[in-house]
Amino acid sequence: MTTTVPKTPPAESGGSGDSGDSGGLQAGLKSRHLSMIAIGGVIGAGLFVGSGSGIAAAGPGILVSYALVGVLVVLVMRMLGEMAAANPTSGSFSAYADRALGRWAGFTIGWLYWFFWVVVLAVEATAGAKILAGWIPAVPQWGWALIVMIVLTATNLVSVSSYGEFEFWFAGIKVVAIAAFIVLGGLALFGLLPGSDHPASGFSNLTAHGGFLPNGPGAILTGVLMVVFSFMGSEIVTLAAGETADPRAAVTKATNSVIWRIAVFYLGSILVVVSLLRWNDPAILKDGSYVAALSSIGIPHAAQIMNTIVLTSVLSCLNSGLYTASRMAFSLGRRSDAPAAFGQTTGRGVPRAAILASVVFGFVAVAFNYLWPDTVFQFLLNSSGAIALFVWLVICFSQLRMRKIIERESPEKLVVRMWLYPYLTWATIALITFVLGYMLTDTADGGGRDQVVLSTLVAAAVVAFAVIRGRLSGRKAAQDTAPLS
């Protein structure tokens, strides 16, 4: 599908050091910031909160579900890394889709991604408020949501380095927590943890209670649907790379390390959980998988410890979500696909208008969550539910076209290459399409079918708007350049 809009959009500036009201983003992120953003993007609150449902559905076979989704994310990140290393930009995959597939594609996926993250802001603000209200009930839950949103908005408005510093410590706490969990759990599995009365069961729980796949092979796919969205956020590092001093090196390092990050943080920690506990232990659903595992090895106050870690993850997700939404809005503004104010920055290189617009929608969504949680807010959730998979599909199709463009125009920039191109790219497209199709079999209220259908309808509406807008712009441009008679 093409439009009559010129193929090359207005250029963005990222990491250029430009400043001023009409300037670009600044290189305010340090290498240590980007390293932790890359790690933190992989470790979402969904890992701590949502893994229990997956274990209950698939048993120990949930490891295969996580491995399948992990492979999918590694392949998508490799493709994105190839494009981002060749051309780092704040618009990331939206900017690449713009050039590879057409203005309509960059416009559509950019706005859908922005929409996804501003809805996430509401979800995470509510989740964090619930924890904080449980600790300090004198402040109502909506008050905590407001406080959290205001604090992190202020952080993002100050400078990109303040965002990076907050995310460095948020992600650092998550990394230390998961590393400690894996070490303590591993010692307990083999009876080496002092003071623990957990039986030295080794890995017997993986097969002792109905086998490795107690609910059959089909449960692996059910598990895939439950865990796929907890991986969303891996791509944030390619947006942030444009605000570093050496974006090409930063992207290369981040995409090359995604394999071990997923293997350690996801597969490693889930392996510990399903090895410490039998998969059908009621505590997994009642208390949460990580709390149940910590309690089983005698860690005191396990629930409060995990609440602290989950709160950190929620704040990290909020911080990154606001940053990501604002940078995508900035990129859209620079390409004339959003109000021009979105593409302007302050003297500190902060896209103030893009941040404020994103957080305003986030505040509205938080209000919907309190006023109409089962109607308006549920619609927002379902209509953004499959966007992660749409983003991954667009990355795949963009990479198929961008590889040829890069090889033709600047082959020396191919410092990161997709493996077995184009075969693995097509295999990834097939796998994502299969997951979307399988989601249609999930007919539960608010389940996979609702998410795919509503997300597709929203995406179709944005595509239609983009095409109509492009044709109108093309006609106007033709009229403006036509000779006067």
Side-chain angles (χ1 to χ4, degrees), residues 278-304:
R278 66 179 194 275
W279 69 271
N280 54 359
D281 190 323
I284 291 179
L285 281 177
K286 179 184 176 184
D287 302 327
S289 54
Y290 288 81
V291 171
L294 288 173
S295 297
S296 74
I297 61 178
I299 301 297
H301 310 295
Q304 290 306 317

Side-chain angles (χ1 to χ4, degrees), residues 115-202:
F115 173 61
F116 172 86
W117 279 109
V118 292
V119 173
V120 166
L121 290 180
V123 174
E124 300 296 341
T126 303
K130 286 181 179 178
I131 296 174
L132 290 166
W135 291 345
I136 308 177
V139 178
Q141 187 174 313
W142 65 265
W144 280 119
L146 185 65
I147 291 170
V148 166
M149 290 281 279
I150 289 174
V151 169
L152 292 180
T153 300
T155 300
N156 276 264
L157 284 172
V158 172
S159 67
V160 68
S161 61
S162 62
Y163 154 73
E165 200 63 33
F166 266 70
E167 191 57 25
F168 175 82
W169 292 105
F170 285 152
I173 291 172
K174 290 189 289 186
V175 169
V176 170
I178 291 186
F181 175 80
I182 292 173
V183 171
L184 292 175
L187 291 174
L189 282 175
F190 298 100
L192 302 176
L193 184 64
S196 174
D197 56 359
H198 188 280
S201 56

Side-chain angles (χ1 to χ4, degrees), residues 345-393:
T345 59
T346 67
R348 290 176 174 266
V350 174
R352 180 189 296 154
I355 292 174
L356 292 177
S358 302
V359 81
V360 164
F361 193 97
F363 275 124
V364 171
V366 169
F368 286 158
N369 196 6
Y370 286 107
L371 297 173
W372 302 290
D374 299 323
T375 52
V376 178
F377 190 69
Q378 187 63 40
F379 171 80
L380 290 178
L381 282 179
N382 289 338
S383 59
S384 64
I387 287 176
L389 294 171
F390 293 169
V391 167
W392 293 350
L393 268 180

